[in-house]
Amino acid sequence: MVEKQSHKFDVLIIGSGAAGLNLALELAPHARVAVLSKGPLSEGSTFYAQGGVAAVLDETDSIKSHIEDTLIAGAGLCEEATVRYIVENGRAAIEKLIGYGVGFTKERQPDGKNLYHLTREGGHSHRRVIHAADATGKAIELTLEKQVLAQPNIQIFEHHNAIDLIVESGVDGGPERCIGAYVLNERTDKVDTFAAPFVVLATGGASKVYMYTSNPDTCTGDGIAMAWRAGCRVANMEFTQFHPTCLYHPEAKSFLITEAVRGEGGVLLLPDGSRFMDRFHERAELAPRDVVARAIDFEMKRLGLDSVFLDISHKPKEFIEEHFPTVYERCKKYGFDITKEPIPVVPAAHYTCGGVKSGINGHTDLENLYAIGEVAYTGLHGANRMASNSLLECLVISAAAGADIRAKLATAPAPAKLKPWDESQVTDSDEEVVLSHNWDELRRFMWDYVGIVRTDKRLERAKHRIDLLQSEIHEYYGNFHVNRDLLELRNLTQCAELIVRCAMARKESRGLHYTRDYPALDTTAPLGPTILTPQKRTRKRGVRL
């Protein structure tokens, strides 16, 4: 019989995308680091990111311009100090990736120089997106993995699904602190304990809460839900970015068509071949993503369409095959030749702009708990993320968190002795159909009621259904052995509640949050993020010691 395991490390990183792996490399020379991955090491959003990383790398560009573009896209809700810090540290982050061996695309110039090719995406006023063809995330993820696997101080735990954070009460009224996590080891089906004086959430976003998403199956809001249950504030959860262009095909599973296609001249068309984006924004196809997604949604509903079309066939075939090999091959697999014809596209949930409230060094409300990457709200994205700023945030904030943790290692306490997971009162479930039904119901009503266009009535309906689901899930969680489907459904339902509550609190339309009941900006209320504060709660199989 396989026994439960108790692990002790200096730093526990939950998540294995760009943020988590980059942080692990920052810490490897100084600490023993555990990196948890829900599935195979590569299976996360980073691997599937196509576009690139935004940074000021060209002499005609400027830090000021990148900051201004980000602030404009964020619709007044970006925290300017955070934006400035991340943008100013962009070049250093790119240079570090190049040093690790990421093969960014180069292009020969008329003067014979072979320089990195920079593309332009929605919201950017300059070409500043460095990329590896149209598979930048894959290049970054695999390069970081190679570096991590070569480090003896880093231990990788694949197929380990974090359940909850373990929190210790503060001494003499001091702040509570995170000291580890309960983790389901899917290879043994046992719940292990991981103790560490520093715990980092790098778990990504929550776009799987929607029926249609560009994200892989791992993006179930785990870190956001765990941090909330442990007592951390969350912010701006109403701002879910819907990527405007995902391939529309029953077997494509929302394959993303990178925004760089539009950046290189791709145009959006109605079935009759006419363009429509110029009626919605002066930048047409290069408008911010919220504008483009809403325009597509409007035209689809107005005309009763299943999709609109994206066309780059007017570009030379060689250009398309060189710049978009992944898109070209995948579309060809489904019967579309993008060098000859337009392809059908629809919006899909893509990025969680809100998350666990944290600072530029990753600090959260809990002592020694950090949040980095998409799981975190730092103030960079505001009400709408500008294209290719997300990987930039992952790299810059993980480096800052690494420096902060390194400065504290010498005085950190030893890993705590943790209570083992209690499953003395639970049994095996014989009603797995409950999980699959609730999964489908949640994702469908979130798409219908809390999607690109919202109303108060739709939000109220969604909240009512979430309350019912949470009651069922809480009972299920308390009585049966946990499995991945249950844990992910529990977390997604929690994130759905946070999204709806934030959306109900914002009585205006701004950025990614558009409601028919309040279609204009609220110019009377002070600008600021929507922040939710959890109540102190005691959970069955509790998270507090």
Side-chain angles (χ1 to χ4, degrees), residues 455-468:
T455 66
D456 283 350
K457 185 171 288 186
R458 291 176 185 176
L459 294 175
E460 289 167 2
R461 287 171 176 165
K463 182 65 169 62
H464 176 68
R465 283 161 173 76
I466 290 168
D467 290 343
L468 294 175

Side-chain angles (χ1 to χ4, degrees), residues 139-202:
I140 292 174
E141 177 73 18
L142 295 182
T143 301
L144 292 177
E145 285 181 15
K146 182 178 179 181
Q147 294 288 328
V148 162
L149 293 172
Q151 297 290 334
N153 262 1
I154 301 175
Q155 189 168 346
I156 304 296
F157 293 85
E158 295 182 302
H159 301 283
H160 279 66
N161 200 331
I163 302 172
D164 265 319
L165 301 172
I166 303 173
V167 177
E168 184 178 61
S169 298
V171 179
D172 298 327
E176 293 183 319
R177 102 187 145 92
C178 185
I179 56 175
Y182 291 117
V183 179
L184 174 64
N185 181 346
E186 293 184 349
R187 286 175 167 154
T188 64
D189 203 30
K190 298 295 181 181
V191 177
D192 299 337
T193 57
F194 281 76
F198 301 96
V199 179
V200 184
L201 297 172

Side-chain angles (χ1 to χ4, degrees), residues 62-234:
S62 68
I63 296 293
K64 180 181 178 182
S65 176
H66 192 173
I67 291 172
E68 288 177 348
D69 289 346
T70 301
L71 295 176
I72 291 170
L77 289 187
C78 298
E79 296 185 19
E80 188 168 351
T82 299
V83 175
R84 179 172 297 280
Y85 178 83
I86 291 174
V87 170
E88 288 179 343
N89 286 277
R91 178 183 283 271
I94 298 300
E95 290 173 347
K96 185 168 288 188
L97 289 182
I98 292 171
Y100 286 146
V102 176
F104 291 114
T105 297
K106 291 186 175 182
E107 187 173 72
R108 188 167 298 281
Q109 305 300 305
D111 60 4
K113 293 181 180 178
N114 201 24
L115 303 179
Y116 289 109
H117 179 262
L118 303 178
T119 192
R120 182 182 171 194
E121 296 181 346
H124 293 275
S125 58
H126 290 79
R127 286 182 173 267
R128 66 167 65 100
V129 180
I130 190 169
H131 61 101
D134 61 349
T136 309
K138 180 178 180 180
I140 292 174
E141 177 73 18
L142 295 182
T143 301
L144 292 177
E145 285 181 15
K146 182 178 179 181
Q147 294 288 328
V148 162
L149 293 172
Q151 297 290 334
N153 262 1
I154 301 175
Q155 189 168 346
I156 304 296
F157 293 85
E158 295 182 302
H159 301 283
H160 279 66
N161 200 331
I163 302 172
D164 265 319
L165 301 172
I166 303 173
V167 177
E168 184 178 61
S169 298
V171 179
D172 298 327
E176 293 183 319
R177 102 187 145 92
C178 185
I179 56 175
Y182 291 117
V183 179
L184 174 64
N185 181 346
E186 293 184 349
R187 286 175 167 154
T188 64
D189 203 30
K190 298 295 181 181
V191 177
D192 299 337
T193 57
F194 281 76
F198 301 96
V199 179
V200 184
L201 297 172
T203 51
S207 288
K208 196 71 178 176
V209 76
Y210 289 100
M211 180 65 68
Y212 303 107
T213 174
S214 65
N215 287 191
D217 291 342
T218 54
C219 296
T220 51
D222 305 329
I224 297 170
M226 286 190 293
W228 174 260
R229 289 194 293 266
C232 292
R233 291 172 295 166
V234 301

Side-chain angles (χ1 to χ4, degrees), residues 250-520:
E251 298 176 12
K253 201 177 180 181
S254 295
F255 173 69
L256 184 78
I257 306 297
T258 173
E259 188 160 328
V261 171
R262 285 178 283 131
E264 295 296 339
V267 294
L268 288 164
L269 306 174
L270 296 175
D272 64 3
S274 63
R275 293 178 67 179
F276 59 90
M277 275 309 305
D278 55 352
R279 291 191 277 109
F280 291 90
H281 197 276
E282 59 185 9
R283 289 187 176 180
E285 280 80 9
L286 290 179
R289 286 179 176 175
D290 62 313
V291 176
V292 181
R294 201 155 51 242
I296 294 173
D297 182 72
F298 177 84
E299 292 296 329
M300 288 174 59
K301 289 176 178 174
R302 180 177 73 89
L303 299 172
L305 305 175
D306 291 327
S307 73
V308 296
F309 295 86
L310 178 61
D311 187 16
I312 197 171
S313 63
H314 51 278
K315 287 283 189 177
K317 180 179 180 180
E318 295 76 15
F319 176 90
I320 294 172
E321 291 179 345
E322 178 185 355
H323 284 78
F324 308 112
T326 304
V327 172
Y328 173 73
E329 290 297 334
R330 183 63 67 90
C331 289
K332 193 174 179 180
K333 172 184 175 182
Y334 295 114
F336 305 109
D337 186 344
I338 65 173
T339 68
K340 297 179 180 179
E341 61 186 334
I343 55 175
V345 293
V346 293
H350 183 59
Y351 192 86
T352 305
C353 288
V356 183
K357 194 172 188 314
S358 63
I360 57 175
N361 52 14
H363 283 186
T364 70
D365 293 329
L366 280 176
E367 193 80 14
N368 291 358
L369 176 68
Y370 295 73
I372 57 176
E374 191 176 353
V375 68
Y377 164 81
T378 63
L380 172 64
H381 306 304
N384 184 22
R385 176 181 72 98
M386 190 167 68
S388 292
N389 269 353
S390 50
L391 284 173
L392 175 67
E393 181 184 39
C394 287
L395 299 167
V396 172
I397 299 300
S398 60
D404 191 81
I405 292 172
R406 288 197 304 270
K408 298 176 179 178
L409 281 169
T411 58
K417 182 176 176 60
L418 304 179
K419 295 178 182 178
W421 180 254
D422 180 12
E423 32 185 25
S424 59
Q425 304 296 315
V426 299
T427 61
D428 290 324
S429 170
D430 58 356
E431 296 183 3
E432 294 292 333
V433 68
V434 174
L435 293 185
S436 60
H437 174 78
N438 287 353
W439 261 95
D440 292 341
E441 182 182 354
L442 173 69
R443 298 180 67 214
R444 187 172 298 279
F445 73 63
M446 284 297 290
W447 180 265
D448 290 339
Y449 298 154
V450 200
I452 296 173
V453 177
R454 302 160 178 176
T455 66
D456 283 350
K457 185 171 288 186
R458 291 176 185 176
L459 294 175
E460 289 167 2
R461 287 171 176 165
K463 182 65 169 62
H464 176 68
R465 283 161 173 76
I466 290 168
D467 290 343
L468 294 175
L469 283 180
Q470 285 183 321
S471 177
E472 288 184 14
I473 293 165
H474 182 69
E475 180 182 1
Y476 201 97
Y477 175 79
N479 289 292
F480 299 112
H481 289 292
V482 296
N483 59 37
R484 179 166 171 170
D485 283 345
L486 172 59
L487 296 178
E488 291 183 334
L489 178 61
R490 177 183 181 232
N491 291 334
L492 275 183
T493 307
Q494 180 61 75
C495 288
E497 179 201 339
L498 297 173
I499 292 169
V500 170
R501 285 177 58 186
C502 284
M504 294 175 83
R506 186 165 291 280
K507 305 299 184 182
E508 64 170 351
S509 290
R510 184 181 296 273
L512 300 166
H513 173 70
Y514 183 83
T515 169
R516 288 180 178 171
D517 294 304
Y518 308 96

